[in-house]
């Protein structure tokens, strides 16, 4: 009987990977809410995670869901410590990330969408045992993509992908076994950010036209506020992804495009050589 039970469980797990593709593109869907309930979330917590859907516009199409407030996500995920700065106006907010550890891997610039998927796979492998101790490690939020944008061609190229590691700075982390995965300590850095919500699952993690649109809105908001001295509008920008249960599983609850404040740039130090 025990053997049959074990076999039944294994078959169920296997089928969960081969059943028809399940669309979690709309995080407010009944299916998504059902999964939250299955994981023990109360109705009150579900309402905290899922803001009310914006009413349809005149064309009858629903607008994109508003981004989930950061405080709601960080009730369930270990978020990188981030200090809100008093430099927020219409269209952007300014904040400072604290000095913490990240696991990082490069992104293939030739195919940013596939490159980001492959990069996430490498980082996930590290967290699930592809390290010198074969240890399972905690994953924090957010994942931050470093991207380059060419204003003339409209092309976004991937540079690297990093996931926050919620451990003390003096904690000894195991070295990755993949030579394209690295452990880094990032010093404090300041960003100007614009949050948005609910990209379609099929676009994940494609830097779509919607991401470019949000970046354009951020840049315009900064210019309207006369914040131009320390911000470069060509080239480098960051995209931070916050999601309960891990990346690319149930859709994304919060994305942010970010411009780095050159007065407080990122200093990155490799902490483990593999």
């Amino acid at each position: 009987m025990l053997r049959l039970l074990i076999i039944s469980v294994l078959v169920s797990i296997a089928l969960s990977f081969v059943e028809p593709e399940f669309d979690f593109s709309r995080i407010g869907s009944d299916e998504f809410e059902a999964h939250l309930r299955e994981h023990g979330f109360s109705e009150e917590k579900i309402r905290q995670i899922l803001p009310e859907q914006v009413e349809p516009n005149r064309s009858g199409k629903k607008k994109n869901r508003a981004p989930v407030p950061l405080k709601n996500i960080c009730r369930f995920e270990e978020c990188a410590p981030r200090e809100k700065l008093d430099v927020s106006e219409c269209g952007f907010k300014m904040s400072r990330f604290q000095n913490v550890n990240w696991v990082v891997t490069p992104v293939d610039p030739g195919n940013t969408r596939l490159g980001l998927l492959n990069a996430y796979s490498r980082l996930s492998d590290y967290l699930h045992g592809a390290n010198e101790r074969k240890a399972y490690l905690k994953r924090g939020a957010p994942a931050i993509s470093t991207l380059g944008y060419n204003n003339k061609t409209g092309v976004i190229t991937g540079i690297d992908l990093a996931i926050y590691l919620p451990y003390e700075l003096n904690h000894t982390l195991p070295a990755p076994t993949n030579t394209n995965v690295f452990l880094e300590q990032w010093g404090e850095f300041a960003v100007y950010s614009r949050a948005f919500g609910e990209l379609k699952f099929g676009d994940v993690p494609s830097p779509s036209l919607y991401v470019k649109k949000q970046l354009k809105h951020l840049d315009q908001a900064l210019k309207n506020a006369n914040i131009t001295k320390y911000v470069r509008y060509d080239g480098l920008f960051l995209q931070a992804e916050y999601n309960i249960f891990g990346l690319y599983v149930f859709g994304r609850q919060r994305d942010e495009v970010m411009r780095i404040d050159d007065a407080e740039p990122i200093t990155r130090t490799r902490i483990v050589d593999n």
Side-chain angles (χ1 to χ4, degrees):
M1 180 64 71
L2 179 59
R3 179 179 294 181
L4 288 175
L5 179 61
I6 293 173
I7 292 173
S8 176
V9 171
L10 292 175
V11 169
S12 297
I13 294 172
L15 287 175
S16 69
F17 289 96
V18 299
E19 63 185 4
E21 183 177 353
F22 198 71
D23 182 12
F24 290 104
S25 62
R26 304 197 64 78
I27 64 171
S29 67
D30 293 339
E31 294 89 346
F32 180 71
E33 292 189 26
H35 274 274
L36 291 178
R37 292 187 182 95
E38 288 175 8
H39 282 79
F41 283 74
S42 67
E43 295 301 317
E44 181 182 359
K45 287 185 177 179
I46 290 174
R47 296 282 70 80
Q48 292 171 352
I49 296 170
L50 302 177
E52 292 298 321
Q53 175 69 54
V54 178
E55 289 298 317
N57 57 25
R58 291 181 180 179
S59 66
K61 295 181 179 179
K62 287 187 177 181
K63 298 179 181 179
N64 287 294
R65 184 179 295 277
V68 175
L70 196 56
K71 63 180 181 180
N72 289 0
I73 291 177
C74 296
R75 290 174 183 172
F76 308 103
E77 293 285 356
E78 295 194 58
C79 294
R82 185 175 174 184
E83 175 189 3
K84 183 178 179 181
L85 301 177
D86 192 23
V87 190
S88 300
E89 296 193 24
C90 180
F92 74 90
K93 293 183 178 180
M94 188 178 186
S95 58
R96 179 184 294 115
F97 282 89
Q98 302 302 303
N99 184 18
V100 294
N101 294 328
W102 303 77
V103 58
V104 186
T105 191
V107 174
D108 178 7
N111 185 333
T112 301
R113 176 173 180 170
L114 180 60
L116 282 167
L117 284 170
N118 289 336
Y120 172 71
S121 179
R122 289 194 295 273
L123 296 184
S124 180
D125 287 345
Y126 169 75
L127 296 172
H128 290 84
N131 54 70
E132 63 180 1
R133 295 183 205 151
K134 297 182 179 180
Y136 279 62
L137 303 172
K138 293 186 292 185
R139 181 195 65 83
I144 291 183
S145 307
T146 307
L147 303 165
Y149 179 49
N150 187 317
N151 278 334
K152 294 182 179 179
T153 64
V155 174
I156 292 179
T157 54
I159 298 174
D160 57 33
L161 177 67
I163 293 178
Y164 165 58
L165 296 174
Y167 293 90
E168 297 293 332
L169 288 176
N170 59 1
H171 182 87
T172 302
L173 293 163
T177 54
N178 189 319
T179 56
N180 284 320
V181 176
F182 309 97
L183 298 175
E184 294 183 354
Q185 185 179 123
W186 293 8
E188 291 186 352
F189 64 99
V191 296
Y192 302 95
S193 62
R194 177 183 176 86
F196 56 100
E198 191 182 352
L199 289 180
K200 289 185 178 180
F201 188 77
D203 290 338
V204 177
S206 173
S208 64
L209 291 174
Y210 191 55
V211 173
K212 297 177 187 179
K213 180 180 179 181
Q214 297 302 318
L215 184 63
K216 183 178 180 180
H217 287 329
L218 172 61
D219 289 348
Q220 188 59 54
L222 292 174
K223 289 177 181 178
N224 291 343
N226 294 317
I227 298 177
T228 58
K229 184 176 181 181
Y230 296 116
V231 181
R232 290 179 298 204
Y233 294 99
D234 286 323
L236 188 72
F237 76 98
L238 304 178
Q239 183 179 350
E241 302 165 10
Y242 288 87
N243 186 26
I244 299 167
F245 297 131
L247 287 169
Y248 317 141
V249 179
F250 291 107
R252 290 144 68 176
Q253 283 91 41
R254 183 183 180 91
D255 276 78
E256 298 181 32
V257 286
M258 300 176 172
R259 291 291 194 185
I260 301 170
D261 184 345
D262 282 354
E264 296 186 52
I266 302 176
T267 57
R268 300 168 57 164
T269 304
R270 190 76 53 81
I271 58 175
V272 173
D273 290 324
N274 52 334

